[in-house]
């Protein structure tokens, strides 16, 4: 090592004494520690290397620097061992990780010494003059220790790991060390060990001094000069002993050569690729080098020379590096960049001639998977279909496809990425047979899901194409049939969204009967997914409403029969659902649709079914995985139901307001929560409904349907029945208010009294003395115990006074005078 002269040297005897001490320190390795790495399994070996890495950090942390260096030397020596040759690349990665850790620890240690002396950190691009003498001395000491390592490989690796530390000593330290280390590697006899040493030097060199790339290039050219060693007797004998074939052995070089070439090719001009191709030709078109060249250089450069490279690949030696790997590397480049347009078909033909001759299914599919992308990018469905046929032909014998699901999935993904028109996609005769190769259920479902995702994302127009419908029904059925008792809810939800997305895209235009037939078929296929059945019911209801729109509300005999068929579809399907509120809401919704289409008996059946289902509502329901009280949901549903019952005409064979009475009976018998006012609030809502029913003309109607205002025409008997119902409900509410007279329920009593007061104010005829007095009593009850909100009471009173100015509501002024405001005190 040529370091600049430092301080005056010690006498010769002292120097030789130092050297001897260093050698003794470094030779004092525990022989057992290296031997213990022999005869280990791969996993045990990796665990042991990881332990050594931790030991290095622990030794360094406890200031045992020599022990740390010993561990690094011990590990580096393992890189000269090729007794298990196929494990060498993995071993290289594990051990260079330890070397990197060591290099970083030494660099940070010397850096910290500079910081301590100057009380400020060194600049990023510091000069040796900025470094303290102590730091330089320590740095030199490390390099002298490394120079004292007797064996070439550990000395080379450890010095390479500390390459960055040269910056502390000399401006030209790194630039002088790289050529010297490059030359040192020539002393390594094993070509595999040698090429990985060059790869490590390139990696560290590019990290420390990327501007010295030219020096690193010589590293690769050195390798080319010694490349003939690979075919020497020593290597051949080693391969015979370890029973490793030459093609397998050559693939071990790929990671190292790839890395070296990537360093060389980084931001390199196109001319360098030309030079590399020429060098490959001089070496007899060596396949290993050619493969690494294609992996290292930019895809645009490779694509532009595709035909030249194919010629070189064809001339490569069959016995060496496998040719299909060369075509795979070329295909990867062509997936990223386009070759000249005139060469595209010839490139595909030349590549596929080689690929289709491959006997090993794994070799074949690894190649075909890459070239599918190229075919999809530049050719039509005809060529893609031919490729799929060839893949099926190669992968079907002996069920070879079972070992290649990831690659086959990749083929599908690439086709779907380029073909968004499903009419074109399913016109490929071999597409569905290709899907049939996915026999493992979990994989098959994933492929079907990815196909449906692309369809939903890219299908812009509604479709009725029988080819698309049959194919997608088959795919959706595959997804549906995968559902079983163990399927997670999230998975069911995902599948349902995809199937619903497909159903939404199917339209037969004005052929409503064909549309209904499709929904009938879909119901039979997707019976296990509740969200799909719900979607189908909504779709059929929408179909009925579209029919009404087309007929402008005037149904013919044919369309009347059709909307009844739609109602029957819904009535049959709803009971198969498990969620009780889903059933209730669908009965109500379907009844509203039937009513809108003048199907009175069908609407009546839906509403009666909803009434009979209310007693089955449980106390709690599960929402998003949490159990919640069901009363709030039931209250919301019944309020919606009451608003519909206003326009539902009475059945000629039943009594007056038979649906309202039936619903009230159900509400009366339902078991409500003990501390709940929901039942009374529902009764108050029924009062609102009865007030609306008693009007001469209702607030809203359904077209072509006569509601009770037309049927009864304000008949006194009808109004008397309503009044009886109202009296009964008010008594029930007042009884409940009395039960809230205890101290702990007074606040609820106040709120409920005010709620009922507002109901009477909004819906009652306050000219009736009894009702007027009831309103005053409720007002006083709301304030009686001081729980009423004063602001609310004030605003309510102001509203009454304001309304009293209306000539029709003059009686409100007399009411206002009877409503006192009590202070909280």
């Amino acid at each position: 090592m040529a370091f600049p002269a430092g301080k005056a040297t010690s006498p010769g005897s002292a120097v030789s004494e130092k050297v001897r001490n260093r050698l003794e320190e470094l030779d004092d390795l525990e022989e057992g520690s290296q031997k213990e790495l022999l005869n280990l399994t791969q996993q045990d070996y990796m665990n042991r290397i990881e332990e050594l890495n931790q030991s290095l950090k622990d030794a360094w942390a406890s200031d045992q620097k020599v022990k740390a260096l010993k561990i690094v030397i011990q590990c580096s020596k393992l890189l000269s061992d090729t007794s298990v040759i196929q494990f060498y690349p993995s071993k290289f990665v594990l051990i260079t990780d330890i070397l990197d850790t060591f290099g970083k620890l030494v660099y940070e240690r010397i850096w910290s010494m500079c910081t301590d002396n100057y009380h400020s950190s060194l600049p990023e691009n510091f000069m040796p003059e900025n470094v303290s003498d102590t730091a330089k001395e320590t740095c030199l000491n490390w390099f002298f220790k490394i120079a004292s390592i007797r064996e070439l490989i550990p000395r080379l690796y450890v010095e390479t790991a500390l390459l960055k530390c040269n910056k502390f000593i000399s401006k030209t330290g790194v630039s002088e060390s790289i050529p010297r280390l490059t030359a040192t590697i020539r002393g390594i006899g094993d070509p595999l060990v040698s090429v990985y040493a060059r790869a490590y030097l390139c990696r560290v060199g590019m990290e420390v001094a990327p501007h010295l790339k030219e020096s690193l290039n010589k590293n690769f050219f050195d390798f080319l000069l010694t490349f003939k060693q690979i075919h020497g007797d020593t290597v051949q004998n080693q391969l015979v002993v370890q029973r490793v074939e030459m093609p397998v052995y050559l693939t071990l070089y790929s990671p190292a050569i790839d890395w070296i070439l990537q360093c060389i090719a980084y931001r390199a001009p196109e001319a360098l690729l030309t030079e590399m191709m020429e060098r490959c030709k001089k070496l007899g078109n060596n396949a290993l080098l050619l493969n690494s060249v294609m992996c290292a250089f930019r895809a645009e450069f490779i694509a532009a020379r595709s035909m030249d490279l194919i010629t070189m690949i064809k001339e490569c030696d069959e016995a060496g590096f496998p040719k299909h790997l060369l075509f795979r590397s070329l295909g990867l480049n062509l997936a990223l960049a386009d070759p000249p347009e005139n060469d595209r078909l010839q490139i595909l033909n030349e590549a596929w001639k080689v690929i289709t001759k491959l006997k090993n299914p794994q070799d074949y599919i690894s190649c075909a998977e890459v070239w599918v992308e190229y075919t999809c990018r530049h050719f039509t469905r005809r060529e893609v279909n031919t490729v799929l046929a060839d893949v099926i032909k190669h992968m079907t014998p002996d069920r070879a496809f079972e070992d290649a699901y990831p690659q086959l999935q990749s083929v599908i993904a690439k086709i779907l990425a380029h073909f968004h028109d499903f009419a074109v996609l399913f016109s490929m005769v071999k597409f569905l047979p290709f899907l049939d190769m996915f026999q493992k259920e979990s994989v098959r479902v994933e492929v079907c899901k990815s196909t449906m995702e692309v369809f939903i994302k890219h299908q812009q127009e509604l479709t009725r194409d029988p080819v698309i419908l049959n194919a997608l029904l088959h795919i959706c059925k595959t997804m549906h049939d995968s559902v079983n008792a163990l399927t997670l809810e999230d998975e069911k939800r995902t599948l349902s969204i995809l199937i619903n997305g497909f159903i939404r895209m199917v339209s037969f235009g004005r052929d409503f009967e064909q549309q209904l037939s499709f929904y009938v078929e879909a119901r039979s296929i997707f019976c296990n997914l509740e969200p799909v059945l719900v979607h189908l019911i909504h779709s059929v209801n929408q179909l009925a409403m579209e029919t009404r729109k087309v007929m402008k509300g005037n149904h013919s005999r044919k369309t009347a029969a059709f909307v009844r068929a739609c109602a029957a579809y819904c009535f049959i399907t709803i009971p198969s659902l498990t969620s009780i509120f889903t059933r209730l809401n669908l009965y109500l919704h379907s009844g509203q649709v039937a009513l809108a289409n003048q199907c009175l008996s069908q609407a009546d059946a839906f509403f009666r079914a909803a009434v009979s289902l209310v007693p089955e509502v449980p106390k709690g329901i599960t929402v998003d995985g949490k159990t919640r009280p069901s009363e709030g949901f039931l209250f919301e549903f019944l309020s919606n139901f009451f608003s519909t019952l206003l326009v539902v005409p009475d059945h000629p064979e039943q009594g007056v307001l038979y649906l309202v009475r039936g619903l009230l009976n159900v509400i009366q018998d339902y078991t409500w929560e003990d501390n709940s006012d929901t039942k009374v609030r529902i009764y108050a809502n029924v009062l609102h409904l009865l007030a609306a029913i008693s009007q001469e003309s209702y607030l809203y109607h359904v077209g072509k349907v006569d509601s009770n205002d037309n049927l009864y025409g304000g008949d006194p008997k009808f109004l008397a029945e309503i009044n009886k119902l109202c009296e009964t409900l008010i008594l029930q509410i007042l009884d409940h208010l009395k039960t809230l007279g205890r101290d702990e329920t007074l606040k609820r009593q106040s709120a409920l009294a005010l709620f009922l007061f507002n109901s009477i104010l909004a819906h009652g005829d306050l000219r009736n003395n009894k009702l007027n007095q009831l309103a005053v009593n409720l007002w006083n009850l709301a304030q009686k115990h001081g729980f009423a909100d004063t602001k609310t009471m004030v605003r309510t009173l102001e509203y009454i006074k304001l309304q009293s100015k209306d000539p029709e509501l003059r009686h409100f002024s007399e009411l206002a005078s009877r409503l006192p405001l009590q202070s909280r005190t």
Side-chain angles (χ1 to χ4, degrees):
M1 289 186 175
F3 287 112
K7 297 178 181 178
T9 54
S10 306
S13 59
V15 172
S16 59
E17 187 68 26
K18 271 188 178 180
V19 171
R20 189 162 62 253
N21 288 340
R22 285 194 187 110
L23 288 170
E24 285 171 1
E25 277 183 351
L26 299 178
D27 283 348
D28 186 26
L29 284 167
E30 307 87 338
E31 285 300 319
S33 63
Q34 221 177 328
K35 287 177 181 174
E36 71 182 24
L37 284 167
L38 301 173
N39 303 320
L40 293 180
T41 65
Q42 183 172 328
Q43 188 58 50
D44 291 340
Y45 194 101
M46 290 164 70
N47 293 341
R48 179 64 185 131
I49 292 290
E50 184 54 43
E51 285 171 20
L52 286 170
N53 199 356
Q54 191 57 47
S55 300
L56 166 65
K57 292 174 186 175
D58 294 342
W60 192 270
S62 58
D63 209 29
Q64 299 180 52
K65 305 293 189 287
V66 173
K67 183 182 177 184
L69 180 57
K70 283 180 182 179
I71 292 169
V72 174
I73 295 168
Q74 178 186 336
C75 292
S76 302
K77 281 186 174 183
L78 297 171
L79 289 172
S80 59
D81 173 33
T82 55
S83 56
V84 185
I85 206 160
Q86 285 173 280
F87 183 58
Y88 193 86
S90 303
K91 180 164 66 173
F92 171 80
V93 172
L94 294 167
I95 291 171
T96 51
D97 189 38
I98 294 176
L99 287 162
D100 291 341
T101 303
F102 179 68
K104 187 180 176 186
L105 290 170
V106 172
Y107 185 84
E108 287 174 354
R109 166 73 178 142
I110 299 168
W111 176 281
S112 67
M113 292 173 76
C114 300
T115 307
D116 292 343
N117 285 323
Y118 283 91
H119 303 290
S120 62
S121 61
L122 284 172
E124 192 65 34
N125 297 316
F126 66 88
M127 303 298 285
E129 297 82 54
N130 306 127
V131 180
S132 66
D133 289 343
T134 313
K136 282 183 180 176
E137 187 72 33
T138 304
C139 189
L140 282 167
N141 194 35
W142 275 111
F143 280 114
F144 289 145
K145 273 190 170 70
I146 293 163
S148 306
I149 299 171
R150 296 178 193 247
E151 290 186 35
L152 171 62
I153 288 174
R155 184 170 72 247
L156 173 74
Y157 271 102
V158 179
E159 189 182 346
T160 304
L162 266 58
L163 188 64
K164 195 175 180 181
C165 294
N166 281 285
K167 291 183 178 181
F168 293 112
I169 301 168
S170 163
K171 288 182 190 176
T172 57
V174 175
S175 59
E176 289 171 356
S177 295
I178 288 176
R180 180 171 50 76
L181 291 168
T182 301
T184 304
I185 293 172
R186 294 174 187 168
I188 300 175
D190 190 309
L192 186 66
V193 177
S194 167
V195 77
Y196 275 94
R198 294 183 192 282
Y200 187 61
L201 178 58
C202 271
R203 206 197 81 190
V204 177
M206 281 298 284
E207 187 181 326
V208 173
H211 59 284
L212 297 174
K213 201 168 78 167
E214 286 301 318
S215 299
L216 295 169
N217 289 357
K218 291 175 184 174
N219 197 1
F220 179 67
F221 297 140
D222 262 15
F223 166 69
L224 292 183
L225 292 172
T226 59
F227 191 75
K228 288 178 282 188
Q229 285 180 289
I230 290 176
H231 301 285
D233 291 343
T234 309
V235 172
Q236 297 298 328
N237 292 338
Q238 189 181 18
L239 296 184
V240 169
V241 171
Q242 297 199 29
R243 297 177 183 176
V244 176
E245 298 292 329
M246 178 56 81
V248 175
Y249 175 68
L250 288 176
T251 56
L252 300 177
Y253 283 80
S254 287
I257 300 174
D258 286 352
W259 181 261
I260 296 168
L261 275 169
Q262 278 169 17
C263 293
I264 293 171
Y266 180 66
R267 292 184 178 174
E270 202 168 349
L272 186 60
L273 173 58
T274 309
E275 183 186 345
M276 286 295 172
M277 287 172 69
E278 290 302 320
R279 285 180 178 269
C280 285
K281 285 177 184 174
K282 285 178 184 174
L283 285 167
N285 287 334
N286 185 275
L288 175 62
L289 294 180
L290 192 56
N291 186 64
S292 294
V293 166
M294 287 192 288
C295 292
F297 282 87
R298 282 174 55 189
E300 293 83 357
F301 297 168
I302 300 295
R305 292 168 167 72
S306 299
M307 287 309 300
D308 293 340
L309 287 164
I310 284 175
T311 304
M312 291 172 71
I313 291 170
K314 285 162 74 176
E315 291 172 1
C316 286
D317 182 11
E318 280 285 352
F321 194 85
K323 261 190 194 178
H324 70 270
L325 292 182
L326 295 173
F327 275 106
R328 188 176 191 279
S329 299
L330 179 60
L332 288 169
N333 281 289
L334 295 178
L336 299 172
D338 299 334
E341 194 167 345
N342 296 335
D343 294 341
R344 288 175 186 173
L345 184 58
Q346 191 179 352
I347 289 168
L348 180 62
N349 288 335
E350 291 292 344
W352 211 261
K353 278 179 195 172
V354 175
I355 295 167
T356 197
K357 288 177 184 173
L358 293 170
K359 302 295 183 200
N360 184 309
Q362 283 300 322
D363 292 347
Y364 171 83
I365 195 62
S366 69
C367 236
E369 170 211 349
V370 171
W371 280 87
V372 164
E373 174 92 8
Y374 175 77
T375 313
C376 292
R377 275 169 71 101
H378 301 298
F379 299 98
T380 64
R381 63 185 178 185
R382 180 172 160 271
E383 287 79 9
V384 175
N385 190 58
T386 305
V387 168
L388 289 178
D390 197 57
V391 173
I392 293 168
K393 178 184 164 188
H394 279 78
M395 301 308 293
T396 305
D398 301 325
R399 299 176 69 84
F401 53 77
E402 289 183 346
D403 299 320
Y405 284 139
Q407 293 91 333
L408 294 173
Q409 278 180 278
S410 174
V411 170
I412 287 288
K414 286 166 182 172
I415 292 172
L416 292 173
H418 289 89
F419 288 88
H420 297 152
D421 185 341
F422 275 68
V424 173
L425 188 68
F426 291 128
S427 66
M428 295 184 207
V429 180
K430 296 297 178 181
F431 185 77
L432 288 177
F434 188 89
L435 288 183
D436 289 340
M437 283 201 294
F438 295 97
Q439 306 258 312
K440 188 179 178 184
E441 187 177 71
S442 59
V443 181
R444 187 167 74 244
V445 171
E446 283 304 313
V447 171
C448 291
K449 280 163 67 176
S450 61
T451 306
M452 291 310 302
E453 281 166 6
V454 172
F455 176 78
I456 292 166
K457 183 178 179 181
H458 295 285
Q459 184 73 19
Q460 301 294 326
E461 297 175 358
L462 301 176
T463 183
R464 61 186 297 171
D465 186 326
V467 174
I468 294 178
L469 296 189
N470 288 332
L472 290 182
L473 269 175
H474 171 71
I475 289 171
C476 288
K477 185 178 186 303
T478 301
M479 294 195 298
H480 168 270
D481 292 349
S482 69
V483 174
N484 55 42
L486 301 176
T487 307
L488 298 174
E489 287 301 317
D490 275 354
E491 177 69 6
K492 288 182 184 176
R493 196 178 300 117
T494 302
L495 296 177
S496 299
I497 289 168
L498 293 172
I499 294 170
N500 287 344
F502 161 61
I503 292 169
R504 206 175 288 118
M505 295 307 295
V506 177
S507 172
F508 290 90
R510 287 289 185 89
D511 190 349
F512 291 162
E513 290 183 351
Q514 184 65 37
Q515 189 81 32
L516 184 59
S517 297
F518 170 75
Y519 291 146
V520 169
E521 184 183 0
R523 181 178 62 186
S524 66
I525 293 173
F526 307 124
C527 55
N528 289 331
L529 288 172
E530 191 159 307
V532 178
L533 294 178
V534 171
H535 181 74
L536 286 169
I537 292 165
H538 283 306
S539 299
V540 171
N541 280 327
Q542 185 180 355
L543 190 62
M545 292 308 289
E546 282 177 13
T547 308
R548 178 180 184 273
K549 184 180 177 182
V550 169
M551 300 303 293
K552 297 179 181 176
N554 298 309
H555 283 298
S556 65
R557 184 179 294 179
K558 184 178 180 182
T559 57
F562 176 75
V563 292
R564 285 197 294 273
C566 290
Y569 178 103
C570 298
F571 195 77
I572 291 166
T573 312
I574 292 170
S576 64
L577 305 176
T578 55
S579 168
I580 193 157
F581 278 104
T582 303
R583 276 186 279 160
L584 281 170
N585 286 314
L586 284 172
Y587 275 133
L588 178 57
H589 182 232
S590 301
Q592 290 166 346
V593 171
L595 197 62
N597 283 286
Q598 302 121 54
C599 301
L600 299 183
S601 59
Q602 283 77 9
D604 189 63
F606 280 119
F607 296 141
R608 277 187 294 167
V611 171
S612 63
L613 193 58
V614 170
E616 296 178 27
V617 174
K619 289 283 184 70
I621 58 167
T622 303
V623 180
D624 296 331
K626 296 177 182 176
T627 303
R628 296 184 183 177
S630 63
E631 281 191 4
F633 295 96
L634 185 56
F635 177 78
E636 185 183 340
F637 166 75
L638 290 172
S639 300
N640 193 359
F641 199 179
F642 295 146
S643 66
T644 302
L645 289 178
L646 174 63
V647 294
V648 177
D650 278 344
H651 196 285
E653 296 176 8
Q654 306 287 345
V656 175
L657 301 178
Y658 81 101
L659 280 174
V660 177
R661 290 175 186 278
L663 198 51
L664 282 170
N665 290 334
V666 166
I667 294 165
Q668 177 70 32
D669 296 338
Y670 186 78
T671 308
W672 301 92
E673 294 285 344
D674 293 337
N675 298 318
S676 165
D677 300 323
T678 305
K679 180 179 178 182
V680 176
R681 289 179 181 274
I682 290 170
Y683 282 161
N685 280 354
V686 177
L687 285 175
H688 304 166
L689 169 64
L690 293 172
I693 289 175
S694 66
Q695 304 300 309
E696 288 183 17
S697 179
Y698 293 169
L699 292 168
Y700 48 86
H701 292 86
V702 175
K704 313 287 183 186
V705 174
D706 289 329
S707 298
N708 286 338
D709 56 344
N710 290 328
L711 292 178
Y712 292 106
D715 181 33
K717 288 182 181 178
F718 175 63
L719 294 176
E721 286 289 336
I722 293 172
N723 285 332
K724 276 184 189 176
L725 265 178
C726 289
E727 285 175 13
T728 306
L729 289 169
I730 289 171
L731 285 172
Q732 292 270 7
I733 294 169
L734 293 175
D735 286 345
H736 182 74
L737 280 170
K738 286 177 188 175
T739 65
L740 299 178
R742 299 188 305 277
D743 289 347
E744 63 272 17
T745 55
L746 289 175
K747 190 172 183 179
R748 279 170 56 200
Q749 186 189 56
S750 172
L752 203 55
L754 185 59
F755 175 70
L756 189 57
F757 171 82
N758 285 327
S759 294
I760 293 172
L761 189 65
H763 301 279
D765 182 0
L766 289 167
R767 287 170 295 198
N768 180 304
N769 291 332
K770 282 186 178 180
L771 204 57
N772 195 302
Q773 186 58 47
L774 176 61
V776 173
N777 292 343
L778 289 167
W779 176 270
N780 292 330
L781 181 61
Q783 298 183 96
K784 185 175 180 181
H785 300 286
F787 286 105
D789 179 25
T790 307
K791 286 183 180 178
T792 304
M793 304 300 281
V794 169
R795 283 202 297 270
T796 305
L797 192 55
E798 286 173 356
Y799 168 78
I800 294 169
K801 289 175 180 177
L802 184 66
Q803 291 294 307
S804 68
K805 294 176 183 177
D806 187 329
E808 293 184 8
L809 298 173
R810 281 178 185 164
H811 57 282
F812 270 34
S813 57
E814 187 267 334
L815 175 67
S817 65
R818 297 176 64 197
L819 301 178
L821 277 174
Q822 295 177 6
S823 64
R824 284 182 179 274
T825 56

